[in-house]
Amino acid sequence: MDKQDTSGNPASDARPVLEGPDIARVLTRIAHEIVERAKGADDVVLLGIPTRGVFLAQRLAAKLEEITDRKIPVGSLDITMYRDDLRMHPPRALARTEIPGDGIDGRLVVLVDDVLFSGRTIRAALDALNDIGRPRAVQLAVLVDRGHRELPIRADYVGKNLPTSLRETVKVQLAEEDGRDTVLLGAKPAAPGEQQ
């Protein structure tokens, strides 16, 4: 996901496209899909991409534990230093990378993020993962796929496909970070001097 899509204040005309109960249902569905595709999720490791991807990964892990009756390793994967736009933006704080104790070698790693947009964040995550270990396979779970891919990347598990225009913005809010669960779709603020 591109950070400009989930940070800052939502436009005043932003409308909710997913609310708390919808997000819970979507995560339950994704958890069942992971168990089905992974034939039981025995070697699954969830890695969330900070910030909101980490919270989604933790929620998914809890749902997977309910389904499988076993603890699912969950961690976080900071991709800041792997981004291809570092020189184009002001410096940003590093997030934490936390890999579960058994590592990722030979495991099925499911990357978890909130919004899939250009695909560049996921490319950076794959580069970061490559420096940590060698998973058996890597899959991607996202809450929202808004289209506009710039790289040949697609999600294996999608909560909601949300076709958008480039003049729109998607903002995911989660209780752990924002005090509530919602996905908002609104108009992208005009750049200074740009006509609407």
Side-chain angles (χ1 to χ4, degrees):
M1 73 84 232
D2 282 349
K3 296 301 179 193
Q4 69 264 25
D5 291 315
T6 58
S7 62
N9 295 325
S12 58
D13 65 344
R15 64 180 174 83
V17 291
L18 289 175
E19 297 282 2
D22 306 313
I23 292 172
R25 261 192 311 277
V26 158
L27 292 176
T28 299
R29 176 176 49 79
I30 289 173
H32 281 281
E33 290 173 1
I34 290 171
V35 170
E36 185 176 329
R37 284 186 66 179
K39 297 176 176 45
D42 289 339
D43 68 343
V44 168
V45 175
L46 300 175
L47 293 181
I49 298 173
T51 298
R52 289 165 187 82
V54 175
F55 301 130
L56 292 170
Q58 292 165 348
R59 292 184 191 188
L60 264 177
K63 290 186 181 295
L64 284 167
E65 287 171 26
E66 288 174 20
I67 298 166
T68 64
D69 286 327
R70 52 180 295 280
K71 189 152 182 61
I72 303 297
V74 62
S76 62
L77 182 65
D78 177 42
I79 53 109
T80 303
M81 298 309 295
Y82 295 88
R83 294 185 62 94
D84 63 4
D85 62 354
L86 273 179
R87 67 184 180 282
M88 298 157 55
H89 294 286
R92 62 184 88 200
L94 296 178
R96 292 176 54 135
T97 291
E98 293 180 4
I99 303 302
D102 290 339
I104 62 168
D105 290 338
R107 310 290 294 269
L108 170 58
V109 172
V110 179
L111 296 173
V112 183
D113 205 3
D114 55 356
V115 178
L116 179 57
F117 182 33
S118 68
R120 292 182 181 276
T121 294
I122 303 309
R123 186 219 36 92
L126 292 170
D127 288 347
L129 207 53
N130 192 46
D131 283 350
I132 293 168
R134 190 174 193 278
R136 173 177 66 78
V138 180
Q139 295 178 346
L140 174 62
V142 296
L143 184 61
V144 174
D145 183 345
R146 64 168 291 189
H148 304 288
R149 216 74 74 241
E150 295 172 4
L151 297 171
I153 289 174
R154 69 168 183 81
D156 299 277
Y157 311 101
V158 177
K160 182 170 184 66
N161 283 295
L162 187 62
T164 61
S165 85
L166 291 174
R167 294 184 157 274
E168 292 176 307
T169 183
V170 174
K171 178 170 177 62
V172 173
Q173 296 181 326
L174 296 177
E176 297 91 336
E177 178 83 3
D178 310 293
R180 70 176 187 154
D181 286 350
T182 189
V183 176
L184 300 169
L185 177 65
K188 189 175 187 177
E194 180 186 3
Q195 292 187 351
Q196 288 277 332

